[in-house]
């Protein structure tokens, strides 16, 4: 029963409205796994993450990254330990939309119900 809200939540991946980028699931996954450092058009990308335990984050990790929370934690632990990367910056749910709306280089994900006109949805899961 605890996982039911995560399974029902629709996740929206959002960028700044001026960002004309088109991305597929693979691009989004590579950005959040630290394998892609720029948007497909070449501009720098700054991914934002939600805190562990968030229902929306759990849905994103499962649906987009194809991992469990523990697999993702182990993945980032290995990269950080070996000096090969840093995980995305973690922000509060309430901050995500305003931060993405304020910076054309940021990408984030939220509950689709939280989306407003200040950001552009590029994918839904």
């Amino acid at each position: 029963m605890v996982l039911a809200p995560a399974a029902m939540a629709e996740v929206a991946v959002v960028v700044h409205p001026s960002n004309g980028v088109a991305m597929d699931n693979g691009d989004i996954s590579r950005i959040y796994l630290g394998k892609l450092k720029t948007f497909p058009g070449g501009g720098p990308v700054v991914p934002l993450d939600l805190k562990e335990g968030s229902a929306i984050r759990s849905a994103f990790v499962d649906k987009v990254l194809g991992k469990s929370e523990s697999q993702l934690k182990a993945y980032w632990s290995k990269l950080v330990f070996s000096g090969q990367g840093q995980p995305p910056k973690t922000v509060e749910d309430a901050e995500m939309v305003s931060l993405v709306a304020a910076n054309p280089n940021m990408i984030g994900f939220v509950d689709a119900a939280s989306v407003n006109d200040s950001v552009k949805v590029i994918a839904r899961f």
Side-chain angles (χ1 to χ4, degrees), residues 6-61:
M8 307 268 297
E10 183 179 26
V11 178
V13 178
V14 295
V15 295
H16 190 274
S18 70
N19 192 330
V21 70
M23 291 194 289
D24 61 24
N25 296 5
D27 293 331
I28 296 167
S29 178
R30 285 190 295 280
I31 286 170
Y32 275 91
L33 294 175
K35 297 176 181 178
L36 188 60
K37 307 282 187 207
T38 62
F39 282 111
V45 65
V46 179
L48 298 177
D49 197 358
L50 295 175
K51 290 187 176 187
E52 231 178 296
S54 158
I56 294 300
R57 182 179 193 267
S58 295
F60 179 82
V61 169

